[in-house]
Amino acid sequence: MEPASPQLLYRETPGDDPGAVTVARNAMATRFEILLYGEDPVRLRAAGEEALAEIERVEARLSFYRPDSEISRINRDASRGPVRVSARVFHLLLRAAELSRASDGAFDITVAPLLRTWGFTARQGKVPCAADLEQALGRVGTRHLKFDETKRTVAFDRSGVEIELGAIGKGHALDQAVEILREGGISSALLHGGTSAVYALGAPPGEEAWKIAIPAPSSAAATPENTGDPGRPRFLAVIPLRDAALSVSAGWGKWFEIEGTAYTHILDPRTGSPVSERRLTAVAGPGCTDGDALSTGLLAGGLSLFDRIAGHASCRRALFMGWPPGAPKPTIRSHRIEMESHAE
Amino acid sequence: MTQSNPSGFNRRDFLRAGSLGTLGMLLGSMDSVAEIRAPAVSNKDDEDPGEPVPCAVIGAGPWGREILDTLARLPGAPVAAVCETYEPFRRRASGLAGDAEAVEDYRAILDDPEVKAVIVATPSHLHREIAVEALEAGKHVYCEAPLASTIDDARAIARAAREVKDKQIFQAGQQFRAEPQHHHVRNFLQAGALGQPLFVRSHWNKKESWRRAAPTSEREAEINWRLKTDSSAGLIGEQGIHSLDIASWFLNARPKAVAGRGGILYWNDGRGIPDTVHALFEYPGGINYTFEATLANSYQGIGDLICGSDSAVMIQENRAWMFREADAPLLGWEVYARQEQFFEKTGISLVADATQLIQEGLDPATDAPEPEPSIYYSLKDFFACIRENRTPHADFNVGFEAVVTAVTAHEAVLNQSTTTFKDEWFDV
């Protein structure tokens, strides 16, 4: 199996600049990094630290693994009755449910039972028996979440339902961090969480926009296109971003094979099964939360969802690449993302 | 998970009999480390706590916003208003508090007869005026820790609270005093699980500047009050106060003297507050307590260690483990342990109050209800005290004594000196 977190995005510009301050912290099982430009390095560092502290607070609220998080409380108690949640978590859950509908259920925050059934959470793929699969499918779907806006409560309509915000948690944390930076008077910064979600605040000094590159899948992904210099990543596309977010999802890094059938770790919550083709998706738009959800939805839903995702109000640019088993070339759809020549 | 039980005792029978009074009953070898888990806390009363107590939050910085989030989840504590002088914070806070009115001047809240309780979460050096006026206005007051950044200010608040103690609740923000986990650990210690108490050690280590950014220099000066000697009680006063308070609470004593050392070793950016501090407190009986904190290295993070001749208890966030000496008498509950590895020690995680879980047909090793953040328990207790008219765990005395301890230690650090506490310093 390949490393769980391949580098998905590269910063094309600018180069190493002594005027910039970089701060970083590990949170949500990944590394968050913020690059800030401005006049006073002491101030830039202070702002960056505040943003990182906000990311940690978001993790404390949303973590599936921390027993004292709001999400854990919901997962523990919501099948027995409504659970009161903070305004921030409530609005995030509502938004997630909305984005789930927008992606026809391909993005779904209740997918955890399915992931477990397929052994993805234990990083050991296995094909579940029909009964297990049916039981897990019965617990998946945002229709099982019951929201009460007046009382700000969440309830599950059956036991075994679970909320796991892994797909949008990083994006949400970045969106919150951006607010903190703006509040602190920062006008030029680049934030990313594990290189799969990035937000470009303003632009670097003297530039129109931050330029973010999506590298071609590594040679292990067995793409015929990727035959370049192994020391340098080849870019599929370079996307200019200014006050905008970019989320990338990829399902080439993890896969397993049982009895001759290859499975990716891309699970479609609607069918309950992993898809057979490797995929890479990217969505650029105004915010990381929505971008993460839409790119995750496109990854799971595949090409048939492309027009629907690309037409969403939170999507300004979109990219889909799929490598169907045995096909000589990848399927590529792009909406306002210009591909580098070698990628075609 | 659970260990084999060579004595033949039935787990359930043993738990029923299990208490610290049954020490040494169990035969067989035991591992030397045990996790102590908080008693099963029922959330059953949460949904129907009784009469709602409309409240207001004064101060909506990052911590004030955490409080608002917590109140949103706490039944019976509707937030009627939130006060913040800084507009961007005020705007943010109003989104967290439902229909609450967002005001700039706290006096508007004190004048509002609908508001029964206020939570003061402004910078520490601004607590005094607000807390005292709120008490005088007839409000119940929860004042964040430290009560104040000077002993004089803390005394003024404590006196105002004492003045109205028969009709109004005052609670200091030493939130661990209301947390089940800390109560549980303290019960173990009180029952003699440590053997002869030897020393206590706390650390608070982070890698961050403690500085904050703002769009204007005026706001920046205002928001960086923690870095200035005239407005801040330093690392010990602002962060260490919780650990110091736990040490005095667990040892059931006040410190006799404190020696302080520290300096600005890394963040040499014009601040007046040391970024690395050590304080050595002397408690009665020759027991020493060391507090150390730094903003330049995060190794080991935040934690406390209480050492005795039979065992050491390590507390990290809301978890605790007991490391037993090989010759220590058995306490009996080790059989329910889950093992964890700490360097060369094997840890056993324990579930407290296991009897109740077993009676409910649950397995203590896996089914113990998990805790809420400590601020949740603390605020919950505050509102319960208001409804039941009882004294909070962290009352004005507890809040004031912690400030005396912390501020004296902070000054000892600034002066690189040793100070002997006088009993009368602790008098409100």
Side-chain angles (χ1 to χ4, degrees), chain A residues 265-318:
Chain A
H265 271 207
I266 308 168
L267 203 134
D268 189 337
R270 301 167 303 176
T271 62
S273 299
V275 300
S276 59
E277 67 171 2
R278 291 167 197 151
R279 290 172 182 168
L280 179 146
T281 58
V283 168
C288 292
T289 310
D290 289 12
D292 270 7
L294 294 174
S295 98
T296 304
L298 184 53
L299 187 79
L303 200 56
S304 62
L305 268 189
F306 189 84
D307 291 333
R308 187 171 178 149
I309 299 286
H312 192 271
S314 292
C315 179
R316 303 271 161 78
R317 303 164 190 268

Side-chain angles (χ1 to χ4, degrees), chain B residues 81 87 167 217 222 241 317 339 375:
Chain B
E87 198 274 334
K167 55 189 176 73
S217 52
E222 200 174 75
I241 189 156
E317 295 187 357
Q339 299 195 352
I375 182 67

